[in-house]
Amino acid sequence: MKAMRTLVRASAIAVTAALLTAPAAAEDGYRLWLRTQAPVEGPIAISRLGDTPTLRLAEAELRRDLPAAANLPVLVALASDPSVSALRLPVADLGNEGYLVRPVSLGGRPVLLVTGNTDRGVLYGAFALIRHAASGGQIGSATLRSAPKVKLRVLNHWDNLDGTVERGYSGESLWDWWKLPDYRDPRYTDYARANASIGINGTVLNNVNAKADSLTAPYIAKAAALADVFRPWGIRVYLSARFSAPIEIGGLKTADPRDPAVAAWWKAKADEIYRAIPDFGGFLVKANSEGQPGPRDYGASHADGANMLAAAVKPHGGIVMWRAFVYADTDPEDRAKQAYTEFKPLDGKFADNVMVQVKNGAIDFQPREPFHPLFGAMPRTPLMMEFQITKEYLGQATHLAYLGPLFTEVLEAKTGRGRETVASVVDGESERHQLTGMAGVANIGDDRDWTGGTFNQANWYAFGRLAWDPSLDAAAIAREWAQQTFGTDPRVVDPVVDMMMRSREAVVDYTGPLGLAHVMATGHHYGPGPWVSELQRPEWNPVYYHRADRQGIGFDRSRTGSNAVAQYAPAVAKLYANPRTTPESELLWFHHLPWDYRLKSGETLWEGMVRRYDRGVATVATMRREWDGLRALVDAERWEKTAAFLSIQEREARWWRDASLAYWQSVNGLPLPAGVAAPEHDLAWYKAQSFPHAPGNPH
Amino acid sequence: MKAMRTLVRASAIAVTAALLTAPAAAEDGYRLWLRTQAPVEGPIAISRLGDTPTLRLAEAELRRDLPAAANLPVLVALASDPSVSALRLPVADLGNEGYLVRPVSLGGRPVLLVTGNTDRGVLYGAFALIRHAASGGQIGSATLRSAPKVKLRVLNHWDNLDGTVERGYSGESLWDWWKLPDYRDPRYTDYARANASIGINGTVLNNVNAKADSLTAPYIAKAAALADVFRPWGIRVYLSARFSAPIEIGGLKTADPRDPAVAAWWKAKADEIYRAIPDFGGFLVKANSEGQPGPRDYGASHADGANMLAAAVKPHGGIVMWRAFVYADTDPEDRAKQAYTEFKPLDGKFADNVMVQVKNGAIDFQPREPFHPLFGAMPRTPLMMEFQITKEYLGQATHLAYLGPLFTEVLEAKTGRGRETVASVVDGESERHQLTGMAGVANIGDDRDWTGGTFNQANWYAFGRLAWDPSLDAAAIAREWAQQTFGTDPRVVDPVVDMMMRSREAVVDYTGPLGLAHVMATGHHYGPGPWVSELQRPEWNPVYYHRADRQGIGFDRSRTGSNAVAQYAPAVAKLYANPRTTPESELLWFHHLPWDYRLKSGETLWEGMVRRYDRGVATVATMRREWDGLRALVDAERWEKTAAFLSIQEREARWWRDASLAYWQSVNGLPLPAGVAAPEHDLAWYKAQSFPHAPGNPH
């Protein structure tokens, strides 16, 4: 025994020493926004009534993370616990996941009660209290009350079975498929904890560009091991299903959803999955899109395909998330119109456990897109929002681009149908659907700081918070994230929030202002490529989107063009139909306009474009200066990393600006306005840049 | 100022709390064998004379890592420092990298002096003292003295520019090429420190299956950033060079080494590299091997190619490491003979800054191979040893296989030329070459514990220690590693060393006993594949190597067969020529023998094979039991991980054994000896196993 005690003591000393002599190692970003502040022997008395794994986690989290400032003992308990229900608190409308935190008197003793109708609710309450305290709130007087507005708050991991991550910029997949199910990396628990802390309750483990292998017995066992780890944190596991799996691993000759043998195969497969994962969430499907198989291969509709899968998981309470991101190989129709054209007629045809998952815009996660016209157009179908948290088109790992404003801009958009907003479509307020959901394409990898950079963590955080409550304010989320991540000192928080709130618009400015989109390089999507015109399919080429010529620039989606505007409700369509009533931020998305078109500022379109490119670069320079000012106030390791990233971003912002201007000038023949710096290189130089080893490429 | 102090204090509290409430996170293997034990305010007085970055590191390492038990102040100083040279210590033979640690009296004051002729020597001395103390040695009385026997101790990273690692089983490449040179991950420093602690003084950053891109300006700048980080740790950077780079990135039409334009291109390229990295080490080249380009493409010899590159780096003091791992696409000669056939005639033809890098055996890093016949056969050429630290053929990430005995078995082998051993060829004792070197194919990736498993760290460690001194004992290295890694408690150290020392032979037993080799599955090399016979090139197929038929098994390399034995010196060749004098551990490497051949034990060959397969499985079971017994003595996180790995290993050892026996029985038609368990499945089942997502595959 003595030797053991010695060993333990030596180890504790070692740990303390390691960190105090090498403090940088402790500030590597691993702890995300959950930066433990509780003292070892804190003055806070935390007790618990009831005993489930999730209640125990709620208690443990409070012990671990609640700052020492509480002047009340804290009690964790279900609302149904007799001593709590006796208080007759207003908990009925908290539902299955809501929480209530408030000071109460229990047996004559004042306590801060953390409660909910379920243990998951209690856990969310514990995290809400920690968040409240870590963002500077008082603990003793805290009254916190919230229930999620969206039922399914789910990450989509575009993670491949070989460990790579499509459009991942933060290392390999967290899932060590190869060593699962035998080895359960402790990091899986930390992942679940981080998600639970912001209310995420589901995760799709594998890429929507799916392999059928993920549905074989060995991989079901691996997924089950992850589900076991995630379960007490209130997180369910989902899988992307490859539609042709019945052929590839089932030995069938077809995957036709109307073939009874196919339906039977999927039913048996679902039964097999549920035997291993009793609370399996269901399937996510990318069908008939970018080469993926689907029901259209057999002349069946997306509804036929989705409903067949839905029937397989229905007896188990599972759902199907069916992506609306489709555009055909051969369809000459404006790509922005195709998803609507395909899915709108299917409204009302989907089974009641199917959700249609729609990207925020009609193209593909561009720095700015108008909201997708399907939102509001399928009232009889629950539509999930699909946001991209990983910044495929917004500077990937290194550019600071806080996506909160991108998310809220879309959620707050009015669909033109009365007071309806995109948020009210998604959260079910509009049509009272039983199912509601929001999906975020994860930016998480096995980099030590999870997301390849401190500020990328904010996008994971913001997605979770907005999925819980789409009405939250992006700046408020930025502030609470910054407080938890860097501490509550306003000398840090204020400039950090300022940087974050400028950052997305800066990316829009230096990559594609005024509604330009899809002007990036091919394949890896890294850097500018507005000149790309030689790819096989027209809609793969940037020139398809910007349509710049000597006379003007922009995609005419008004009645004189593709008439995509007609896919919006009349009140919105009317605004978009006219350049004068189209928001200038979306101008060239909807209109092809002459270079000398007059903007509201009085500038020509060309002058306004140039000014915005310059403004984007200048904003990054300002962000750098702001960050430089924080050197003494932020730990060295995280400061250095962001400083290095901002220097990359400034260089690349200039590159985007210079390359784009050089190209536009080659098309319009116009001089730069007086006083504007010429591009550093000529157009040929920019075209010659090549990045064969850029990360995140699909296979 | 007040707010800043508060911030700092809060942060220190947070750090302490995080670790004491979540101790598991601190024991994630990141610290390797350098497990800080120094108290924050230690009683050890450490001082330093002289000021170079490397001397400062030596001091800092002692402050950070030296246990508190020293009863003498420690002084770090160059031997040339006047106060030290006055002591007239015996330092002349320490050379450029050796160290001396010993108690001296300085100015009447007793101190423990850590010294050397260079600051690198002092740094190695500091690490030697830390190692000595952490393995239980007394500090006050320590007298340590050593100089490396091998000059170049270098890791070969088979890391690709896209972040993947060929034959890597511990995550992605450490090098974040994409963010270099802007972002210097603090982990690069920790990597250099770990290497310096075991005497490694060079690192080849990129895969021998090289891309020419690594020689372009952007990648030279990236390599230079790494070199800057590594330099104070005494580590030089090397690059694998693609022989056809003059064509691919130089715009030339040929890479013929005899073409003056080609030589001029390489010279200019070397000049460019040395401008960025003044202490660049040189090039490693895999030429005319497995599809790589090389001088043979132009009818020139390997010496022509190596010497042309050597001339390019010569003015800068650089070297060329030219790999002897060649076998031709079309050559029907026994693959085991081809490298000797090609290189032996070139002895004496290489420039004086060329080393020929020879794998430990003539095939490819098998669990056991006889030493490569080139060792001892090229007296006029400095031969580097190439070991594989990554366990491509020994269970990859998860199997516990301590390679110390594999390394020392080869190093201790007698070449048959007098008292010469392979070690004496490598360390230059035989021929007194100016250049000596040992290379290890790294098992390092960005997994948190660097090597994908705690025990894999021991192989990195053992390589470094043996490169410094090839005469070290494998068990002694295991012991000092275990003491540093798990603490000095003999209840832990003894069983750990026992497991380690049994482990490699267990792998030999369950994968291919009695000299069998190359019986693994295709491509990923994961698991058994003795039946594989359909691959395009004969020497890609396991059946080529084991040649099992109804009558017998083994590759006849005696005079009646390929006569590969004749490549050894007569004294050794004579032993290998006769099955009776061939060590049974290498029997089937050299001889095709009937199944009823009598082993020295009296068993038939078949009985002896079966017994060894069973013994391998049983040894793994024993290792599991030993590890189970350590549950209370090893921290939970590392204990759980190794326990999970051992369960995988036991299952896979059985799989290897069962699959192999099922196959051998299908060939020889023999029953299993009485009492031996039948394979769990039939042969068809084993053949049907498929692992498309196994890690480590080449591109």
Side-chain angles (χ1 to χ4, degrees):
Chain A
M1 274 310 286
K2 180 155 178 294
M4 265 196 62
R5 250 179 290 128
T6 310
L7 197 72
V8 168
R9 186 149 36 84
S11 156
I13 290 169
V15 161
T16 313
L19 280 144
L20 294 180
T21 57
E27 298 294 354
D28 56 15
Y30 186 80
R31 293 182 293 151
L32 295 161
W33 49 85
L34 294 164
R35 295 162 53 72
T36 310
Q37 305 195 350
V40 186
E41 309 280 348
I44 310 178
I46 293 169
S47 53
R48 165 171 54 82
L49 297 174
D51 189 33
T52 73
T54 302
L55 284 174
R56 286 197 293 272
L57 290 176
E59 181 194 1
E61 288 301 316
L62 289 169
R63 282 194 192 283
R64 169 175 166 159
D65 275 343
L66 198 61
N71 44 17
L72 264 188
V74 176
L75 174 69
V76 165
L78 285 171
S80 58
D81 191 277
S83 61
V84 176
S85 62
L87 298 172
R88 302 183 179 281
L89 297 167
V91 296
D93 57 348
L94 294 181
N96 283 329
E97 297 186 300
Y99 58 82
L100 173 65
V101 179
R102 83 178 216 192
V104 298
S105 177
L106 212 68
R109 210 171 55 104
V111 298
L112 185 61
L113 175 68
V114 177
T115 193
N117 293 321
T118 64
D119 53 5
R120 283 171 295 144
V122 175
L123 179 62
Y124 291 138
F127 279 121
L129 178 57
I130 291 164
R131 177 166 60 240
H132 171 76
S135 350
Q138 292 301 311
I139 299 176
S141 59
T143 297
L144 310 170
R145 176 193 179 81
S146 185
K149 293 191 180 166
V150 176
K151 285 185 184 162
L152 176 57
R153 307 173 297 277
V154 67
L155 291 179
N156 288 185
H157 285 270
W158 287 358
D159 292 18
N160 300 310
L161 302 183
D162 65 0
T164 57
V165 180
E166 180 168 333
R167 310 307 179 186
Y169 312 101
S170 49
E172 288 193 293
S173 174
L174 273 189
W175 324 134
D176 191 344
W177 290 114
W178 190 246
K179 296 181 191 135
L180 282 167
D182 300 274
Y183 178 58
R184 299 179 183 196
D185 192 319
R187 191 162 186 174
Y188 302 150
T189 300
D190 294 336
Y191 163 86
R193 174 177 175 250
N195 278 318
S197 79
I198 50 174
I200 287 169
N201 66 359
T203 182
V204 186
L205 299 173
N206 61 318
N207 193 351
V208 289
N209 293 321
K211 298 268 189 197
D213 311 53
S214 68
L215 300 172
T216 58
Y219 280 91
I220 291 170
K222 293 166 193 282
L226 291 174
D228 288 344
V229 175
F230 300 163
R231 188 169 295 112
W233 298 95
I235 293 169
R236 287 187 179 202
V237 152
Y238 299 74
L239 290 174
S240 291
R242 184 163 165 92
F243 199 78
S244 53
I247 301 171
E248 290 150 4
I249 61 170
L252 302 188
K253 293 221 168 63
T254 177
D256 187 334
R258 294 159 308 188
D259 185 315
V262 170
W265 186 88
W266 279 107
K267 186 168 183 337
K269 183 52 70 181
D271 293 347
E272 179 189 355
I273 294 171
Y274 277 94
R275 279 194 298 276
I277 312 173
D279 57 351
F280 177 66
F283 294 125
L284 170 63
V285 185
K286 175 178 179 175
N288 294 116
S289 170
E290 299 182 323
Q292 293 297 310
R296 307 290 283 140
D297 300 341
Y298 306 96
S301 76
H302 284 279
D304 294 331
N307 294 345
M308 180 272 296
L309 285 175
V313 295
K314 172 96 177 174
H316 307 283
I319 64 163
V320 168
M321 298 167 287
W322 193 271
R323 289 174 99 232
F325 178 67
V326 298
Y327 58 102
D329 292 38
T330 46
D331 192 340
E333 189 182 44
D334 176 4
R335 174 173 160 191
K337 293 179 67 179
Q338 295 186 31
Y340 179 102
T341 303
E342 180 103 23
F343 276 81
K344 163 81 175 156
L346 298 175
D347 189 27
K349 303 228 164 85
F350 289 98
D352 64 1
N353 61 332
V354 173
M355 304 186 75
V356 172
Q357 182 168 314
V358 182
K359 291 188 180 182
N360 60 276
I363 298 297
D364 191 18
F365 301 135
Q366 297 303 297
R368 168 166 282 125
E369 296 191 31
F371 73 92
H372 200 298
L374 276 175
F375 289 110
M378 295 182 69
R380 292 188 291 163
T381 308
L383 298 190
M384 279 180 81
M385 171 62 76
E386 179 176 321
F387 283 129
Q388 191 180 45
I389 308 172
T390 186
K391 302 199 310 296
E392 178 179 356
Y393 300 102
L394 288 101
Q396 304 185 356
T398 50
H399 293 207
L400 200 167
Y402 171 54
L403 301 181
L406 188 161
F407 299 158
T408 55
E409 178 178 291
V410 172
L411 290 167
E412 291 166 4
K414 293 196 163 64
T415 65
R417 294 170 179 85
R419 296 161 54 90
E420 187 181 79
T421 60
V422 172
S424 72
V425 172
V426 170
D427 70 18
E429 191 190 310
S430 282
E431 307 291 341
R432 306 274 160 204
H433 291 299
Q434 275 305 303
L435 297 176
T436 58
M438 197 184 293
V441 180
N443 63 346
I444 302 164
D446 72 354
D447 273 5
R448 183 64 182 167
D449 69 2
W450 304 85
T451 58
T454 307
F455 281 87
N456 295 327
Q457 299 176 351
N459 294 327
W460 178 8
Y461 183 89
F463 168 77
R465 298 287 286 133
L466 285 167
W468 181 279
D469 183 353
S471 74
L472 292 177
D473 175 68
I477 295 172
R479 180 161 296 271
E480 67 177 48
W481 173 81
Q483 287 168 324
Q484 292 170 79
T485 299
F486 295 114
T488 54
D489 184 344
R491 294 175 308 160
V492 178
V493 172
D494 291 344
V496 162
V497 172
D498 183 68
M499 290 166 66
M500 291 170 75
M501 291 306 293
R502 292 161 168 269
S503 60
R504 180 263 188 147
E505 202 63 33
V507 175
V508 170
D509 277 343
Y510 64 71
T511 64
L514 290 166
L516 288 173
H518 207 292
V519 285
M520 69 288 166
T522 304
H524 46 60
H525 297 169
Y526 167 73
W531 48 79
V532 175
S533 63
E534 75 291 358
L535 304 178
Q536 193 186 348
R537 284 166 56 172
E539 78 283 3
W540 284 351
N541 291 292
V543 297
Y544 170 93
Y545 296 93
H546 64 65
R547 312 208 159 192
D549 56 26
R550 189 134 196 109
Q551 282 70 47
I553 183 170
F555 196 127
D556 183 1
R557 292 191 167 105
S558 73
R559 211 174 313 169
T560 56
S562 77
N563 203 23
V565 297
Q567 294 184 333
Y568 289 98
V572 170
K574 192 178 161 205
L575 290 176
Y576 283 149
N578 180 345
R580 286 286 146 213
T581 54
T582 301
E584 284 190 342
S585 61
E586 297 170 345
L587 194 60
L588 302 177
W589 184 280
F590 288 113
H591 303 285
H592 186 83
L593 297 171
W595 293 102
D596 61 358
Y597 174 86
R598 286 286 157 186
L599 296 173
K600 289 180 181 120
S601 62
E603 301 163 294
T604 66
L605 177 61
W606 172 235
E607 288 163 349
M609 278 178 65
V610 173
R611 186 170 59 79
R612 282 168 175 79
Y613 279 110
D614 275 333
R615 184 175 68 187
V617 175
T619 301
V620 178
T622 302
M623 286 158 59
R624 274 189 86 177
R625 277 195 304 276
E626 288 182 277
W627 189 250
D628 281 344
L630 300 181
R631 183 165 209 155
L633 300 172
V634 172
D635 47 279
E637 186 166 341
R638 290 190 302 171
W639 188 87
E640 294 284 358
K641 186 166 186 175
T642 293
F645 283 16
L646 284 166
S647 80
I648 293 171
Q649 184 173 8
E650 189 173 7
R651 183 178 68 234
E652 294 185 351
R654 195 170 302 279
W655 168 40
W656 265 98
R657 178 252 185 219
D658 286 357
S660 302
L661 291 184
Y663 174 68
W664 303 133
Q665 287 192 283
S666 80
V667 173
N668 65 17
L670 294 172
L672 289 169
V676 167
E680 192 180 349
H681 302 279
D682 64 15
L683 180 59
W685 188 91
Y686 293 107
K687 286 186 173 181
Q689 298 306 301
S690 157
F691 305 94
H693 310 297
N697 260 328
H699 283 219
Chain B
M1 275 311 285
K2 182 158 175 294
M4 264 196 63
R5 252 179 288 126
T6 309
L7 197 72
V8 169
R9 185 152 34 84
S11 156
I13 290 170
V15 162
T16 314
L19 279 144
L20 294 180
T21 56
E27 297 294 353
D28 55 16
Y30 187 79
R31 292 182 293 151
L32 296 160
W33 49 86
L34 292 165
R35 295 163 55 71
T36 310
Q37 305 193 350
V40 186
E41 308 280 348
I44 311 177
I46 293 169
S47 52
R48 164 170 56 81
L49 297 173
D51 188 34
T52 73
T54 302
L55 284 175
R56 285 197 294 270
L57 289 177
E59 181 193 2
E61 288 301 316
L62 290 169
R63 283 194 191 283
R64 169 175 167 159
D65 275 342
L66 198 62
N71 45 16
L72 263 188
V74 176
L75 175 69
V76 165
L78 285 170
S80 58
D81 190 276
S83 61
V84 177
S85 61
L87 298 171
R88 302 184 182 282
L89 297 167
V91 295
D93 58 348
L94 295 181
N96 283 329
E97 296 187 301
Y99 58 81
L100 173 65
V101 178
R102 84 176 215 194
V104 298
S105 177
L106 213 67
R109 208 171 56 105
V111 298
L112 185 61
L113 176 68
V114 178
T115 194
N117 293 323
T118 64
D119 53 5
R120 283 172 295 146
V122 175
L123 179 63
Y124 291 137
F127 279 120
L129 178 57
I130 291 164
R131 177 165 60 239
H132 171 77
S135 3
Q138 291 301 311
I139 298 177
S141 59
T143 298
L144 310 171
R145 176 193 179 81
S146 185
K149 294 191 178 166
V150 177
K151 285 185 185 163
L152 176 56
R153 309 173 296 278
V154 68
L155 291 179
N156 288 184
H157 285 270
W158 287 357
D159 292 19
N160 300 311
L161 301 184
D162 66 0
T164 59
V165 180
E166 182 168 331
R167 310 309 178 184
Y169 311 101
S170 49
E172 289 194 291
S173 173
L174 272 189
W175 323 133
D176 191 344
W177 290 114
W178 191 246
K179 295 182 192 132
L180 282 167
D182 300 274
Y183 179 56
R184 299 180 182 195
D185 193 320
R187 191 161 186 173
Y188 303 150
T189 300
D190 293 336
Y191 163 86
R193 173 176 175 250
N195 279 318
S197 79
I198 51 176
I200 288 170
N201 65 359
T203 182
V204 185
L205 299 173
N206 59 319
N207 194 350
V208 289
N209 293 321
K211 299 267 188 198
D213 310 54
S214 68
L215 300 172
T216 58
Y219 281 90
I220 291 170
K222 293 167 193 280
L226 290 174
D228 288 344
V229 174
F230 301 163
R231 189 168 295 111
W233 298 95
I235 293 168
R236 286 188 179 202
V237 153
Y238 299 75
L239 291 174
S240 291
R242 184 163 165 93
F243 199 77
S244 52
I247 301 172
E248 291 150 3
I249 60 169
L252 301 188
K253 292 222 169 64
T254 177
D256 187 333
R258 296 160 305 190
D259 185 315
V262 170
W265 186 87
W266 280 107
K267 186 165 182 342
K269 182 54 69 179
D271 294 347
E272 179 188 355
I273 294 172
Y274 277 94
R275 277 194 298 276
I277 312 173
D279 57 352
F280 178 66
F283 294 124
L284 170 64
V285 185
K286 174 176 180 177
N288 295 115
S289 171
E290 300 182 322
Q292 293 298 309
R296 307 290 284 139
D297 301 340
Y298 307 95
S301 76
H302 284 279
D304 294 331
N307 294 346
M308 181 272 296
L309 285 175
V313 294
K314 174 95 176 172
H316 307 283
I319 65 163
V320 168
M321 300 168 285
W322 193 270
R323 291 173 97 232
F325 177 68
V326 298
Y327 58 102
D329 292 38
T330 47
D331 192 340
E333 189 182 42
D334 176 6
R335 174 174 160 189
K337 294 178 67 178
Q338 295 186 32
Y340 179 102
T341 302
E342 179 103 22
F343 276 82
K344 164 80 175 156
L346 299 175
D347 190 27
K349 303 228 164 87
F350 289 98
D352 65 1
N353 60 331
V354 173
M355 306 188 75
V356 172
Q357 181 168 314
V358 182
K359 290 188 181 184
N360 59 278
I363 297 297
D364 191 18
F365 301 134
Q366 297 303 297
R368 170 166 280 125
E369 296 190 32
F371 73 92
H372 200 297
L374 277 174
F375 289 110
M378 296 181 70
R380 292 189 290 162
T381 308
L383 298 189
M384 279 180 80
M385 171 63 76
E386 178 176 321
F387 283 129
Q388 192 180 44
I389 308 171
T390 186
K391 304 199 310 293
E392 177 178 355
Y393 300 103
L394 289 101
Q396 304 185 354
T398 51
H399 293 208
L400 200 166
Y402 171 54
L403 302 181
L406 187 160
F407 298 158
T408 55
E409 179 178 292
V410 172
L411 290 168
E412 291 165 4
K414 294 196 162 65
T415 64
R417 294 170 179 85
R419 298 161 50 89
E420 186 182 79
T421 61
V422 172
S424 73
V425 173
V426 170
D427 69 17
E429 191 190 312
S430 281
E431 305 293 339
R432 304 274 161 204
H433 290 299
Q434 274 305 304
L435 297 177
T436 58
M438 197 183 294
V441 179
N443 64 347
I444 302 164
D446 71 354
D447 273 5
R448 183 64 182 166
D449 69 2
W450 303 85
T451 58
T454 307
F455 281 86
N456 295 327
Q457 298 175 353
N459 294 326
W460 178 8
Y461 183 90
F463 168 77
R465 298 287 287 134
L466 286 166
W468 181 279
D469 183 354
S471 74
L472 291 177
D473 175 68
I477 294 172
R479 180 162 296 272
E480 66 177 50
W481 174 82
Q483 288 167 324
Q484 293 170 79
T485 300
F486 295 113
T488 55
D489 184 344
R491 294 175 307 160
V492 177
V493 172
D494 290 346
V496 162
V497 172
D498 183 69
M499 291 167 65
M500 291 170 74
M501 292 307 292
R502 293 160 168 269
S503 59
R504 180 262 189 147
E505 203 63 33
V507 175
V508 170
D509 277 344
Y510 63 71
T511 63
L514 290 165
L516 288 173
H518 207 293
V519 285
M520 69 288 167
T522 305
H524 46 59
H525 297 170
Y526 168 73
W531 48 79
V532 175
S533 63
E534 77 290 358
L535 304 178
Q536 192 186 348
R537 284 166 56 171
E539 79 283 1
W540 285 351
N541 291 292
V543 298
Y544 171 94
Y545 295 92
H546 63 67
R547 311 207 161 194
D549 56 26
R550 190 138 196 107
Q551 283 70 48
I553 182 171
F555 196 127
D556 184 1
R557 292 192 167 104
S558 75
R559 210 174 315 168
T560 57
S562 77
N563 204 24
V565 297
Q567 293 185 333
Y568 289 97
V572 170
K574 193 180 161 203
L575 290 175
Y576 282 150
N578 181 345
R580 288 285 148 214
T581 54
T582 301
E584 285 190 341
S585 61
E586 296 170 343
L587 194 59
L588 302 178
W589 184 280
F590 288 112
H591 303 285
H592 186 84
L593 298 170
W595 293 102
D596 61 357
Y597 174 86
R598 287 285 158 189
L599 297 172
K600 290 179 180 124
S601 62
E603 301 163 293
T604 65
L605 177 62
W606 173 235
E607 290 164 348
M609 277 178 65
V610 173
R611 187 171 59 78
R612 283 168 174 79
Y613 280 111
D614 276 333
R615 185 175 66 187
V617 175
T619 302
V620 178
T622 302
M623 287 158 57
R624 273 190 87 176
R625 278 196 302 277
E626 289 181 276
W627 189 250
D628 282 343
L630 300 181
R631 183 167 209 154
L633 301 172
V634 172
D635 48 279
E637 186 165 342
R638 289 190 302 171
W639 187 88
E640 293 284 356
K641 187 167 186 173
T642 293
F645 283 16
L646 284 166
S647 80
I648 293 171
Q649 185 174 9
E650 189 173 7
R651 184 177 67 233
E652 294 185 351
R654 194 171 303 278
W655 167 41
W656 265 98
R657 177 252 186 218
D658 286 356
S660 302
L661 291 184
Y663 174 69
W664 304 134
Q665 285 193 282
S666 80
V667 173
N668 64 17
L670 293 172
L672 289 169
V676 168
E680 192 181 346
H681 302 280
D682 64 13
L683 180 59
W685 187 91
Y686 294 108
K687 286 185 172 181
Q689 298 305 300
S690 157
F691 304 93
H693 309 297
N697 259 328
H699 283 221

